[in-house]
Amino acid sequence: MTRDCRSSLGWTVCLFLFCITGCATLEAEDGNAKDLPIIARWSGDFPVADLALLPDGQRQSRTGYIDGQNAFASVWQAFKPGEKIPAVDFNRNLVVFSRNVDFYNRTNIIKVTLTDGGAEIIAMETMSALPIEDQVALTMAVIPRTGVDFILSRDMRVPVTGSP
């Protein structure tokens, strides 16, 4: 079930969903927040049985990142079987993701904000009470890696490692 954000109730639902997906504040305290460009974006279903393909330490979190071609290829094959793996320049970019952890809801990354080295993934979800069974909804986006030291995932900081 998808909510339309143009109605009053829709705006309330979208604002609620916007805030539960990881945003702590809408503006940085020091005013140095900047929106990162989203170079590419994909959404769809991801098999629960393949969650182990997500990077170590990020398999239980709502948000995270992929910083290498081999890991991305493995995740992509489970995410979009039979589709060609998109080319991503991991020397210059990261693939960030947002996924369901409580209920099955369609999700989409709408914005990524960088503040003091922390990339905050702003994702919107539909609202349902459907339990997660065989699949979760997953959305991935390619962003520039310059200046990204960690990904904010609710109250955790997921360090971005590897060479830029």
Side-chain angles (χ1 to χ4, degrees), residues 69-126:
Q69 187 62 41
N70 290 339
F72 180 63
S74 295
V75 169
W76 184 266
Q77 288 172 351
F79 181 54
K80 301 283 186 183
E83 289 189 28
K84 183 179 176 187
I85 301 167
V88 176
D89 180 353
F90 285 100
N91 290 319
R92 301 175 68 171
N93 303 306
L94 295 170
V95 173
V96 294
F97 66 84
S98 178
R99 70 173 192 91
N100 305 144
V101 292
D102 299 316
F103 297 100
Y104 179 86
N105 297 304
R106 293 276 177 213
T107 184
N108 191 27
I109 293 174
I110 58 173
K111 184 177 179 180
V112 179
T113 303
L114 182 66
T115 307
D116 296 329
E120 182 176 22
I121 301 166
I122 311 299
M124 188 169 48
E125 294 183 44
T126 57

Side-chain angles (χ1 to χ4, degrees), residues 100-164:
N100 305 144
V101 292
D102 299 316
F103 297 100
Y104 179 86
N105 297 304
R106 293 276 177 213
T107 184
N108 191 27
I109 293 174
I110 58 173
K111 184 177 179 180
V112 179
T113 303
L114 182 66
T115 307
D116 296 329
E120 182 176 22
I121 301 166
I122 311 299
M124 188 169 48
E125 294 183 44
T126 57
M127 197 162 136
S128 78
L130 297 173
I132 292 174
E133 293 178 354
D134 297 335
Q135 299 182 42
V136 296
L138 177 78
T139 182
M140 296 190 290
V142 179
I143 62 166
R145 73 182 301 146
T146 302
V148 179
D149 298 323
F150 57 92
I151 305 295
L152 291 169
S153 184
R154 293 209 172 172
D155 58 352
M156 291 178 19
R157 289 181 174 200
V158 179
V160 173
T161 58
S163 58

Side-chain angles (χ1 to χ4, degrees), residues 15 21 35 60 71:
L15 181 59
T21 57
D35 292 343
Q60 300 299 318

